[in-house]
């Protein structure tokens, strides 16, 4: 196998052109990319990916949510499969690399392996996950959550977009007609899963590293607070009698930052990412403020402690200002620990290629978080210029992507011949 892997050649020019073509499937003009689940742009993007896969001689199947499985059948197809993949949906006005590198890069990895004459023992499968971004239905990793059976059919059917559209008719209109009950994967379907992704942070670039081997993935808890005050005319309502909802909301936003700064965990982060003021007029006292707070850590106990501090502060503010505060925990996902043997394999392959690599955690969460509930996992990170992501300036050079794809290809090849258990 080692002799075959030395022949691996990644066509970075072809891959760059394919990334650019997919970026053009956007609801907004370049350089930004907007590709929302079950829209025309999403459909065209999926068709483009399917075309590339078919040209590479790979088989394609799709489930009821739109999760797409691109398959290279191994010589022993009865064995649990080796998998990779990512997503192609893009939040409004984002960049062209997030998720896409892990899908188109995986197709290029399999093309490169095929060109050497390599034949996998285990089937290798690329998964294009439906809606890693929460844009349409307010929940991230929709497809991988469903594959991991963390969402029931009833929960899926209850999902609504901002216009009130239900998931079922929207996915059916997009061409996905199967039964939602058939989406979850079965135990033993997969031997391992490795996702290639841009880092979305500055660490690899700062360290001069080519490759990041991910050891753990932080998971978010999302808290929604709706603070109800009493509105009125900004000039006519005197200060002593006001119940301005924005004041306790502002205190909460500052408290959220302090909670993360005071955490004993260096991986703790907390963000008030949504802050909506009603009615939103300069001469009107805010009567209602909605906050959505994202709290993450690789340590579950630390993450949950931060959540409880935020909820306790909401209770204190409620009593202090004599106002109503609604508190809702929208999700509390467990962090994931990547299998050390898989991390070691990525480091070993990187060393063989003379690429500089380091172990690191992922503070952003990915579909790998939920695939970790199905099989052993890790991720391969490539650098992000200035740490930019989720913005048009997001950039990873063709050469940096080439290195990541080559590591992915060699890792998948080795895993396809690995024994039935990974220790």
């Amino acid at each position: 196998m080692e002799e075959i892997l030395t022949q691996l050649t990644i066509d970075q020019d072809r891959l760059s052109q394919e990334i650019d073509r997919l970026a053009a499937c956007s609801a907004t003009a370049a350089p930004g990319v907007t590709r929302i689940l079950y829209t025309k742009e999403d459909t065209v993007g999926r068709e483009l990916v399917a075309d590339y896969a078919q040209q590479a001689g790979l088989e394609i199947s799709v489930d009821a949510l739109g999760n797409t499985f691109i398959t290279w059948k191994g010589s022993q197809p009865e064995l649990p499969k080796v998998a990779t993949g990512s997503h192609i949906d893009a939040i409004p006005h984002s960049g062209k690399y997030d998720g896409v590198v892990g899908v188109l890069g995986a197709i290029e990895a399999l093309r490169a392996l095929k060109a050497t004459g390599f034949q996998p023992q285990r089937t290798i499968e690329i998964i294009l996950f439906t809606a890693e971004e929460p844009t349409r239905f307010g929940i991230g990793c929709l497809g991988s959550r469903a594959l991991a059976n963390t969402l029931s059919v009833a929960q899926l059917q209850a999902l609504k977009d901002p216009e009130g559209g239900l998931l079922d008719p929207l996915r059916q209109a997009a061409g996905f007609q199967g039964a939602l009950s058939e989406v979850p994967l079965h135990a033993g379907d997969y031997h391992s899963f490795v996702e290639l992704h841009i880092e979305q942070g500055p660490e690899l670039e700062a360290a001069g590293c080519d490759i990041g081997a991910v050891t753990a993935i932080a998971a978010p808890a999302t808290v929604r607070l709706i603070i109800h005050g009493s509105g009125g005319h900004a000039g006519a309502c005197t200060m002593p009698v006001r119940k301005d909802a924005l004041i306790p909301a502002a205190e909460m936003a500052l408290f959220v930052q302090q909670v993360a700064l005071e955490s004993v965990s260096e991986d703790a982060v907390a963000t008030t990412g949504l802050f909506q003021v009603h009615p939103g007029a300069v001469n009107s006292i805010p009567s209602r403020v909605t906050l959505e707070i994202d709290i993450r850590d690789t340590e579950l106990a630390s993450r949950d402690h931060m959540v409880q501090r935020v909820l306790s502060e909401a209770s204190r503010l409620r009593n202090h200002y004599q106002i109503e505060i609604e508190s809702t925990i929208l999700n509390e996902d467990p962090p994931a620990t990547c299998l050390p043997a898989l991390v070691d394999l990525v480091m070993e392959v990187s060393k063989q290629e003379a690429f500089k690599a380091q172990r690191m955690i992922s503070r952003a969460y990915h579909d790998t978080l939920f695939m970790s509930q199905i099989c052993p996992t890790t991720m391969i990170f490539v650098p992000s210029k200035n740490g930019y992501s989720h913005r048009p300036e997001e950039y990873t050079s063709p050469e940096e992507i080439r290195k990541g794809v080559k590591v992915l290809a060699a890792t998948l090849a080795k895993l396809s011949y690995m024994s039935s258990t990974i220790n």
Side-chain angles (χ1 to χ4, degrees):
M1 180 186 293
E2 297 303 327
E3 182 179 343
I4 290 176
L5 294 182
T6 61
Q7 302 170 28
L8 270 176
T9 300
I10 307 302
D11 190 334
Q12 68 182 49
D13 292 335
R14 174 174 58 190
L15 181 54
S16 294
Q17 290 169 7
E18 291 175 350
I19 291 171
D20 287 343
R21 290 190 195 112
L22 185 52
C25 304
S26 171
T28 51
V33 178
T34 301
R35 196 163 43 245
I36 310 301
L37 176 65
Y38 301 149
T39 61
K40 176 183 68 176
E41 295 77 25
D42 180 51
T43 298
V44 174
R46 288 170 179 270
E47 290 172 349
L48 190 62
V49 172
D51 186 45
Y52 293 146
Q54 288 169 339
Q55 289 176 26
L58 304 170
E59 299 175 7
I60 300 173
S61 61
V62 183
D63 72 13
L65 270 180
N67 290 310
T68 301
F69 304 87
I70 300 168
T71 307
W72 183 11
K73 190 170 290 185
S75 60
Q76 296 188 32
E78 72 280 2
L79 294 175
K81 294 173 281 192
V82 173
T84 184
S86 197
H87 65 100
I88 65 165
D89 62 311
I91 68 169
H93 308 286
S94 62
K96 63 183 178 181
Y97 300 97
D98 177 12
V100 168
V101 167
V103 176
L104 297 184
I107 293 173
E108 175 60 26
L110 268 53
R111 281 190 296 231
L113 285 169
K114 278 174 164 276
T116 67
F118 176 81
Q119 173 61 44
Q121 184 178 64
R122 297 177 181 277
T123 292
I124 300 177
E125 195 156 75
I126 302 167
I127 307 176
L128 191 171
F129 295 99
T130 283
E132 191 263 2
E133 306 291 3
T135 314
R136 183 99 200 223
F137 293 108
I139 184 168
C141 296
L142 175 62
S144 55
R145 285 178 191 270
L147 290 172
N149 204 23
T150 66
L151 290 172
S152 68
V153 170
Q155 287 172 315
L156 289 168
Q157 291 175 330
L159 292 175
K160 292 182 180 180
D161 69 9
E163 285 71 46
L166 289 167
L167 179 140
D168 242 356
L170 286 168
R171 58 117 181 165
Q172 289 170 7
F176 306 117
Q177 306 292 331
L180 292 174
S181 59
E182 296 178 1
V183 170
L185 296 170
H186 301 101
D189 279 351
Y190 291 99
H191 168 269
S192 49
F193 178 85
V194 181
E195 181 174 3
L196 173 64
H197 208 282
I198 61 170
E199 181 196 345
Q200 301 182 284
E203 290 184 29
L204 290 175
E205 184 182 49
C209 272
D210 304 304
I211 300 293
V214 175
T215 60
I217 304 169
T222 306
V223 179
R224 176 186 290 153
L225 301 176
I226 304 176
I227 301 176
H228 298 274
S230 181
H233 194 287
C237 187
T238 59
M239 302 305 289
V241 298
R242 290 191 182 197
K243 288 191 176 181
D244 184 337
L246 183 59
I247 304 306
E251 286 192 33
M252 176 56 77
L254 291 171
F255 182 80
V256 166
Q257 175 175 263
Q258 197 61 33
V259 161
L261 290 171
E262 291 173 354
S263 174
V264 296
S265 172
E266 64 179 15
D267 298 328
V269 292
T271 306
T272 303
L274 184 145
F275 198 103
Q276 295 177 331
V277 182
H278 180 83
V282 68
N283 61 345
S284 182
I285 298 165
S287 61
R288 184 178 72 249
V289 179
T290 300
L291 298 83
E292 289 190 2
I293 300 162
D294 181 298
I295 301 171
R296 305 183 187 214
D297 204 335
T298 55
E299 297 294 331
L300 184 60
S302 170
R303 197 277 310 276
D304 287 350
H305 179 64
M306 289 191 289
V307 171
Q308 289 307 310
R309 286 193 65 190
V310 167
L311 295 176
S312 295
E313 178 66 4
S315 180
R316 186 193 72 80
L317 291 169
R318 180 187 298 113
N319 295 331
H320 179 75
Y321 287 101
Q322 292 297 295
I323 55 175
E324 181 185 351
I325 301 181
E326 300 176 50
S327 304
T328 307
I329 297 177
L330 299 179
N331 64 278
E332 287 184 294
D333 299 313
T337 299
C338 298
L339 189 73
L342 286 178
V343 178
D344 290 345
L345 179 58
V346 171
M347 293 295 291
E348 173 191 321
V349 169
S350 299
K351 183 178 180 180
Q352 289 172 349
E353 295 293 336
F355 299 155
K356 186 177 179 182
Q358 67 178 36
R359 289 174 169 82
M360 63 188 301
I361 68 158
S362 174
R363 290 182 173 85
Y365 76 105
H366 305 277
D367 291 303
T368 299
L369 185 71
F370 294 95
M371 289 301 292
S372 291
Q373 299 179 28
I374 296 167
C375 65
T377 63
T378 189
M379 298 185 70
I380 298 168
F381 276 177
V382 289
S384 295
K385 185 174 178 59
N386 297 324
Y388 291 162
S389 188
H390 282 191
R391 54 191 285 185
E393 295 87 352
E394 178 179 274
Y395 181 73
T396 301
S397 73
E399 174 62 9
E400 289 168 330
I401 294 172
R402 182 192 70 81
K403 292 177 180 178
V405 172
K406 193 165 189 183
V407 171
L408 176 66
T411 300
L412 294 174
K414 288 174 180 288
L415 287 172
S416 78
Y417 277 85
M418 193 167 283
S419 65
S420 59
T421 57
I422 308 177
N423 299 316

